[in-house]
Amino acid sequence: MHPSVVRLTALVPPAASVPRGPDWGRVESALGARLPEDYKQIVEAYGGGVFDETIWLLEPDCADEDYDLVAQQKERDEVFAELWGVGEPKPAELEADGARVIPWAAIEGSGHYLYWLVRPGQQPEEWTVMLNEGRGPEWERHPLGCAEFLVGVLAGEVESRYFPDFPVEPHQFDSNDDIL
């Protein structure tokens, strides 16, 4: 298991029973990309849901499209195409041919999304995190994978103006199965 996922499960223990994982081959085909192993391990440990009532882990096959990984990828692509088409600044990292972002989490009540920065020639384990403020053109960049970023935010080790109230104690995870 990825070291950051081990740390995450120690910090926020998952429920004893977790829904069966998705068909990763089908999900990756729909996204047009292989996903990082740390993300798959988080989904397999927790399912979809929300960490500390703030960070919603997008989950493949979620019944609610707002929290479904594939549905949000399609929606975010459409939103960015429209915004960038009318002149909102595009992050420099996305100017290269084939570069794109894939959302993996949403921030409760804010419109912010956490993305992987996907660049041609990079393996999924090399993808880093970008955060878009959702209601404006500002982006944060973090040279971390999703599990390392998530653990860092929850533990108060990642500096971000979008998570000023972390860490929160005690930590909790609420499953989509329990709240949606």
Side-chain angles (χ1 to χ4, degrees), residues 5 8-12 17 33 59 71 73 76-79 81 85 92 105 118 120 123 128 155 159 171-172 174 176:
V5 177
L8 178 64
T9 59
L11 190 65
V12 187
S17 65
E59 163 189 36
Q73 173 63 49
R76 301 286 90 211
D77 283 348
E78 291 170 7
V79 166
V118 179
Q123 296 301 311
T128 58
E159 290 187 32
H171 295 289
Q172 69 183 50
D174 297 304
N176 285 343

Side-chain angles (χ1 to χ4, degrees), residues 72 75-77 79-81 83-84 88-94 101-117 128-142 149 160-163:
Q72 281 306 304
E75 182 176 303
R76 301 286 90 211
D77 283 348
V79 166
F80 288 136
L83 290 172
W84 296 333
E88 182 171 297
K90 187 177 195 177
E93 296 91 339
L94 299 178
V101 288
I102 297 176
W104 60 270
I107 309 308
E108 175 66 25
S110 67
H112 309 332
Y113 279 86
L114 293 165
Y115 297 90
W116 289 292
L117 172 59
T128 58
V129 172
M130 291 182 69
L131 184 150
N132 176 250
E133 69 178 328
R135 294 187 174 107
E138 298 299 318
W139 290 79
E140 266 189 7
R141 291 123 178 106
H142 297 274
F149 178 84
S160 170
R161 69 182 183 155
Y162 298 102
F163 298 103

Side-chain angles (χ1 to χ4, degrees), residues 6-156:
V6 170
R7 190 163 171 230
L8 178 64
T9 59
L11 190 65
V12 187
S17 65
V18 175
R20 194 172 81 89
D23 175 348
W24 290 114
R26 184 186 51 74
V27 171
E28 291 171 334
S29 178
L31 293 171
R34 192 170 53 84
L35 294 171
E37 288 301 316
D38 62 340
Y39 169 77
K40 293 178 189 180
Q41 291 172 5
I42 295 170
V43 169
E44 290 168 358
Y46 294 91
V50 62
F51 288 91
D52 291 347
E53 299 181 347
T54 303
I55 302 173
W56 283 90
L57 181 66
L58 300 179
E59 163 189 36
D61 304 325
C62 183
D64 186 327
E65 287 191 357
D66 289 339
Y67 306 105
D68 179 80
L69 179 70
V70 175
Q72 281 306 304
Q73 173 63 49
K74 290 176 185 171
E75 182 176 303
R76 301 286 90 211
D77 283 348
E78 291 170 7
V79 166
F80 288 136
E82 183 176 326
L83 290 172
W84 296 333
V86 297
E88 182 171 297
K90 187 177 195 177
E93 296 91 339
L94 299 178
E95 293 293 342
D97 285 341
R100 65 183 182 132
V101 288
I102 297 176
W104 60 270
I107 309 308
E108 175 66 25
S110 67
H112 309 332
Y113 279 86
L114 293 165
Y115 297 90
W116 289 292
L117 172 59
V118 179
R119 295 179 181 186
Q122 278 190 328
Q123 296 301 311
E125 283 63 42
E126 297 173 292
W127 297 352
T128 58
V129 172
M130 291 182 69
L131 184 150
N132 176 250
E133 69 178 328
R135 294 187 174 107
E138 298 299 318
W139 290 79
E140 266 189 7
R141 291 123 178 106
H142 297 274
L144 308 168
C146 68
E148 189 177 4
F149 178 84
L150 183 56
V151 163
V153 168
L154 296 178

